[in-house]
């Protein structure tokens, strides 16, 4: 009681104390030393024992769940709408107006994504992965075309916004990711609500972890189904090949990184996104370095991968391994009660 008095005084319900105790290393075995069956029972006694100024009403039996707000729903839909408008502008312009439309479109979509990440279930207290996320999305737009052009001895010019130019541009994956901001926000909201409900119903840390793990996997599967449909839709509308492998792995990577960041786990997402972006950059760099006399061996691994899987093999492998790493980490960190200690998600 003395060691965790501050935690007990600011807690609004026993669940917050249970999450805080777990974060400090208190387990059900530790609670048994104090003659309690689990950490939740110990937290209830600690909550009842600590006096609070002005505490005249009985403590709540249910913790409030994050609420759906119109503001963050609109912001989540905004990147997709602006992305569709930007792509339309690219298709209806030529020459310098197309360049202007591309720059303006990229700017407004970026600002819309930032606004969506600052409100609702995708909001995080820290923002540490923005630069790497921009690189990964930029590679989805320009990377495969540059890789293909580099293997053919180019590129012979700058990208002109088309898939037939000297530096081909693939717009469908990026548009699908922009449209997927809304499913990502909905998935994060459902996960937060479901985890909070299971925290209320659980009577032990192991019980809570076992019940949240399927919820996490189901949330990821729901988002992947939505993203698969969006990739197929954008590919059909824009008459581009449906880039399912690289887009799905990138979408899973970004969603898992955001979920971990939202729930206070920032170290692993930053490191994984940094490594994935570095791998993609190194793959491009080795192709150009391989043109130097006596350095052809540098490009051999990338050339072999592209020969086996095509240009999409590089981002698919990098993002796939990164997403799998974050998934394993998320099944350990997001199934802890301490990851859901906040009573109300920021709006």
């Amino acid at each position: 009681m003395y060691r965790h008095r501050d935690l007990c005084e600011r807690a609004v319900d026993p669940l917050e104390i249970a999450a805080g105790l777990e974060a400090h290393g208190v387990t059900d075995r530790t609670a048994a030393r104090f003659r309690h069956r689990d950490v939740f029972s110990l937290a209830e006694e600690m909550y009842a024992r600590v006096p609070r100024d002005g505490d005249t009403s009985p403590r709540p039996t249910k913790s409030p769940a994050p609420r759906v707000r119109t503001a963050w729903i609109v912001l989540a839909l905004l990147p997709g709408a602006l992305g569709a408008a930007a792509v339309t502008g690219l298709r209806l312009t030529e020459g310098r107006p197309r360049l202007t439309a591309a720059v303006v479109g990229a700017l407004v979509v970026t600002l819309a994504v930032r606004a969506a990440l600052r409100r609702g279930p995708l909001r995080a207290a820290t923002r540490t992965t923005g630069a790497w996320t921009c690189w990964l999305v930029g590679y989805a737009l320009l990377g495969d075309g540059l890789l293909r052009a580099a293997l053919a001895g180019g590129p012979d010019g700058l990208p002109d916004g088309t898939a037939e130019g000297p530096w081909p541009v693939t717009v469908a994956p990026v548009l699908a990711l922009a449209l997927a901001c809304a499913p990502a926000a909905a998935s994060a909201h459902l996960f937060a609500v479901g985890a909070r409900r299971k925290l209320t119903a659980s009577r032990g840390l192991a019980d809570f972890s076992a019940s949240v793990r399927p919820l996490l996997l189901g949330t990821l599967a729901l988002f992947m189904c939505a993203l698969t449909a969006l990739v197929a839709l954008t590919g059909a509308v824009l008459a581009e090949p449906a880039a399912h492998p690289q887009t799905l792995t990138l979408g899973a990577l970004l969603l898992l990184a955001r979920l971990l960041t939202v729930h206070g786990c920032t170290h692993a997402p930053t490191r994984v996104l940094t490594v994935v972006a570095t791998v993609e950059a190194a793959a491009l760099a080795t192709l150009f370095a391989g043109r130097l006399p006596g350095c052809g061996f540098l490009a051999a691994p990338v050339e072999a991968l592209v020969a086996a899987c095509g240009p999409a093999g590089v981002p698919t492998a990098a993002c796939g391994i990164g997403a799998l790493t974050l998934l394993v980490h998320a099944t350990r960190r997001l199934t802890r009660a301490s990851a859901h200690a906040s009573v109300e998600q920021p709006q």
Side-chain angles (χ1 to χ4, degrees), residues 121 123-125 188 191-192 195 257-266 333-334 338-342 345:
R123 179 181 175 182
F191 177 68
R258 197 64 192 176
L259 283 178
L260 285 166
T261 303
V262 166
H263 291 278
C265 309
T266 60
R333 296 300 300 268
L334 297 185
S338 54
H340 309 276
S342 59
Q345 289 284 344

Side-chain angles (χ1 to χ4, degrees), residues 23-65:
H24 285 86
V26 178
T27 64
D28 291 341
R29 179 174 297 182
T30 308
R33 292 167 45 201
F34 300 100
R35 299 183 180 180
H36 283 274
R37 64 182 179 276
D38 50 44
V39 173
F40 290 88
S41 175
L42 176 62
E44 288 175 352
E45 180 178 351
M46 295 174 69
Y47 182 88
R49 283 196 174 196
V50 174
R52 292 169 184 80
D53 297 333
D55 189 7
T56 58
S57 60
R59 55 186 174 90
T61 57
K62 293 184 178 180
S63 62

Side-chain angles (χ1 to χ4, degrees), residues 127-146:
R127 295 184 291 273
T128 58
T129 60
W132 302 119
T133 302
C134 289
W135 166 269
L136 293 172
V137 175
Y139 188 96
L141 180 67
L142 301 167
D144 286 353
L146 178 58

